[in-house]
Amino acid sequence: MKKAIFAGSFDPFTIGHMDVLRRAAVLFDEVHVGVLVNPGKHPLFTPEERRGMIEAAVREAGIENASVSVFSGLLVDFAHSVGARYNVRGLRSGADFDYEYPMEYYNRRMASELETVYLASDPAHVHISSSAVRMLMASGAGISGLVPDQIYKIIAERVKSDEQ
Ligand code: PNS
């Protein structure tokens, strides 16, 4: 059984992430999405909020072989905890590869059996990033179409309740 992880901050999960996950779910028997708890960062959404949003989007997309959990610490330990031999990463650009390649080096040093698999982004998604979504949200601009519909609904509800 081929098991993969797809890890990230996902603050929030975008349609670009969803495209990579959908394609990974075709390539692998199981895909374990890992939401990173990064104590050094101040995320917009808590790890549990992010996990819940991604789960809702995965359900809506009808992806049956993906699960979502929160992890902290090393990616290789998350991979071991779910028994995954593959680490899926999306690539939008050469800059993404420059960021990913050193991480692959360190991951390989720590876990030589973990194979990193890069999926080139859909050209329609190359400019979509969680940081751009957060920037738009902070400015009160719309984010419809940048995140999966289910996630858009959850975020819109949260924005509405924050305003009340
Ligand atoms: O898509 P992101 O948010 O940039 O993902 C980054 C992620 C989660 C893959 C990376 O930060 C990570 O693996 N963090 C855990 C710490 C770790 O294992 N680092 C790899 C060795 S340098």
Side-chain angles (χ1 to χ4, degrees):
M1 174 162 309
K2 288 193 180 337
K3 295 187 190 179
I5 56 164
F6 180 39
S9 307
F10 304 133
D11 187 35
F13 198 78
T14 68
I15 59 163
H17 294 131
M18 182 50 100
D19 178 55
V20 171
L21 174 58
R22 213 190 280 273
R23 289 157 57 200
V26 174
L27 293 172
F28 299 99
D29 297 308
E30 285 179 13
V31 183
H32 297 265
V33 179
V35 177
L36 177 68
V37 179
N38 188 340
K41 282 193 185 171
H42 297 287
L44 185 56
F45 298 101
T46 67
E48 271 308 313
E49 281 177 319
R50 285 177 268 155
R51 191 187 59 75
M53 284 192 271
I54 299 167
E55 259 180 4
V58 165
R59 257 198 316 273
E60 172 75 9
I63 302 171
E64 290 182 354
N65 57 339
S67 64
V68 192
S69 51
V70 169
F71 80 102
S72 56
L74 290 171
L75 177 135
V76 293
D77 290 337
F78 174 59
H80 285 150
S81 73
V82 295
R85 292 275 310 272
Y86 302 92
N87 172 32
V88 172
R89 304 297 298 160
L91 285 183
R92 290 164 301 184
S93 64
D96 272 0
F97 184 71
D98 289 345
Y99 169 71
E100 296 292 339
Y101 203 28
M103 283 205 293
E104 178 179 350
Y105 171 78
Y106 288 106
N107 286 332
R108 196 181 288 277
R109 271 178 63 104
M110 292 183 280
S112 58
E113 76 289 352
L114 184 70
E115 194 67 58
T116 298
V117 177
Y118 297 102
L119 296 184
S121 165
D122 182 320
H125 300 153
V126 292
H127 301 300
I128 297 177
S129 65
S130 300
S131 58
V133 171
R134 291 197 302 276
M135 184 270 290
L136 292 176
M137 284 184 65
S139 320
I143 59 162
S144 167
L146 298 175
V147 296
D149 288 345
Q150 280 303 313
I151 294 186
Y152 179 76
K153 283 182 200 152
I154 293 168
I155 293 176
E157 278 300 315
R158 183 180 136 169
V159 169
K160 211 164 84 185
S161 72
D162 284 353
E163 282 169 357
Q164 282 167 358

